Each structure stands twice: as C-alpha cells, then as structure tokens.
Amino acid sequence: MTTTPCGRMEPTPGPTATFDLNQALLQSREQARAQWAEGLAQFQSQMAAIAETSMQEVVQAAAPAFALGFSFSAQKLINEEHEVLRVTLRHRGGAEEFSEAQAPQEGSAAWHALTASLLAGLLGIPLGSAPRTIEPIQPQPSVAGAGTEAAASAAAAAPAADDPGAADDEWDSGAPDMPEASDSGLEPLTDEEIATLHKFLGAMPQEARKRFTIEFRHHFQVPREVRTIKDRITQRRHKDFIDVFERELAGGQS
C-alpha cells in the first residue's frame, strides 16, 4: 500500500500500471515530436530566404511559423562559469529545441543579432543574398601586389573558389570545394584527418552535435537542401572551425 499526501492508503501501482504510465508518457512525447515535425515541415515548405540575420528580418520571416504554434525565448545562462545565450524554440504541442552560443552583453546589438542567428538556425531559415554581397571586397591582393600578374590572377580566382553561390553545381552534386594553394584555410585535409574528425563528431553528445551542425551550416553557408554536412568537412578551415567548437564545448579550456 502507498500513503497519499492527504493520508489515504491506496494500492501501490504494480508493474502493469507503471508500464502503462510509461507508455502514455512515451506516446505523448512522440505525438508532440510529430506535431513539431509536421509544423516545421509546413513552415519550411513556404518560407523565403532572408538577406541578413537581423532580428527584424528573422522575425518577419518566422511569422508563418508563429502562426503554426511556434514561439521562442532567449535567456542568459551560466555554463561552467561562462555566460551563454540560449535560444529555445517551442511548439504548442509540447516539443522544444534549443541552441546556445557564448553570450555577448545582454540587450546589446550583438545580443539581438546572435539571437536572430540562432533562431534562424533552429527554424532552418536560409540566408539568401548576403553571401554574394561579401565577395566583391576580395580583390584586395591586386591592391597589395599592384603590378604583378600573379597577384591579379589570385584575386580573380579566389571568389570563384569560396563563394557558395558561384559553386551551386558542385554543392548540389556533393563534390568538395576546389581549394586554392594560396589560401592555407582551403588546404585539403588528409584521409586520416577527416576520419579522425568524423570519429570525434560521431562521439559528441546529440545536443552538442545538433548545435555544431547548425553553426557549421550557418558559418559555411551550406544549402538547406543538402541533407548532411559529413562530406563537407574537407578543408583546413573546417578543421579549424571544429577545433574552436571543441574548445568552447570543453568550457574554453585549450
């Protein structure tokens, strides 16, 4: 027998009752996840790309998601003596997911910009024209090395190699970026290095791996239709990004 808070004696739930309760909880979670997936798929089927990850742009693009029962919150947390900004996306069915990053000053422009970026990642909102507007500043090598044909050639080749918009066919086919020898960040990784990184990411906790995937896609502008980033980890800059993420995951310890 079990004594209730009000003093009544009631039969102790047996194995069958406990099993039924667990099953009901499991079904409730599965139903919540199904509603989440259905709502997110409906939103993503009609969403539009944004020009920049400002709060105004993201909230405006996310309006149809809010109408489908999604909401979000942003809060500052202390994680192993480090302040992090956590953005949580919730659905009225009960399911939720969150993404975190090192927190800037609360309420600052950087705070709002990071909130918008994390929210866009959770909703899968793609960045449209912004990457293309950055590339025209790249002809700097021709200024530093004026009068040399080699510098001019390098300046002309660099945007084509690193601009996701200019390499749509390669990305759609799954072919890796073609690195330029003049940029150490574009150096190809060895098969052993790639295998080691895959092993590290595969052993990462699920929540951390989900956060890494979101940040990697956003940082390297991986198209939303590309289902996996596994074959995108091919260059020195990708390894450097993973190294920084690993240090942040370990609480900033080198």
Side-chain angles (χ1 to χ4, degrees):
M1 301 291 287
T2 301
T3 303
T4 66
C6 60
R8 286 203 313 268
M9 299 293 291
E10 294 183 352
T12 301
T16 301
T18 302
F19 175 78
D20 291 342
L21 177 60
N22 290 339
Q23 284 293 101
L25 290 174
L26 181 60
Q27 290 175 359
S28 177
R29 292 193 188 99
E30 291 178 347
Q31 184 178 10
R33 293 303 302 176
Q35 292 176 357
W36 167 287
E38 182 180 356
L40 192 60
Q42 184 177 348
F43 165 67
Q44 291 180 346
S45 68
Q46 60 185 347
M47 69 182 179
I50 57 177
E52 59 179 359
T53 51
S54 66
M55 183 61 75
Q56 181 179 358
E57 287 265 2
V58 173
V59 169
Q60 184 175 354
F66 300 150
L68 291 170
F70 287 94
S71 61
F72 80 96
S73 63
Q75 60 184 141
K76 183 171 67 175
L77 303 174
I78 305 298
N79 184 4
E80 297 182 359
E81 300 183 356
H82 294 275
E83 294 183 346
V84 297
L85 167 60
R86 172 181 292 186
V87 174
T88 303
L89 181 66
R90 299 182 177 86
H91 186 260
R92 61 190 171 201
E96 65 178 43
E97 289 186 2
F98 68 86
S99 184
E100 294 178 346
Q102 186 172 352
Q105 181 179 356
E106 188 171 4
S108 65
W111 170 279
H112 293 300
L114 183 57
T115 299
S117 179
L118 295 176
L119 176 60
L122 288 168
L123 286 170
I125 300 175
L127 190 64
S129 59
R132 299 175 185 271
T133 61
I134 297 174
E135 292 301 331
I137 67 173
Q138 293 234 357
Q140 291 178 350
S142 63
V143 176
T148 63
E149 294 183 2
S153 298
D162 198 35
D163 181 4
D168 287 340
D169 292 339
E170 288 184 353
W171 283 68
D172 290 341
S173 64
D177 297 338
M178 296 302 293
E180 289 290 333
S182 60
D183 189 340
S184 60
L186 299 181
E187 288 180 2
L189 298 173
T190 65
D191 292 341
E192 291 77 12
E193 287 177 314
I194 293 175
T196 299
L197 294 175
H198 285 176
K199 185 176 180 180
F200 166 72
L201 294 173
M204 190 181 294
Q206 184 178 4
E207 287 298 327
R209 189 163 59 247
K210 183 185 300 183
R211 171 186 154 199
F212 168 79
T213 301
I214 292 171
E215 294 185 9
F216 185 95
R217 282 180 174 273
H218 176 73
H219 185 82
F220 293 107
Q221 299 301 324
V222 179
R224 185 169 58 88
E225 59 268 19
V226 174
R227 296 298 180 185
T228 177
I229 64 169
K230 190 173 182 179
D231 60 351
R232 305 290 164 179
I233 302 173
T234 59
Q235 300 173 343
R236 186 66 50 192
R237 58 182 179 147
H238 301 147
K239 181 180 183 302
D240 293 341
F241 183 85
I242 293 174
D243 289 343
V244 172
F245 185 86
E246 180 182 9
R247 288 196 296 271
E248 292 180 353
L249 197 63
Q253 297 180 356
S254 55

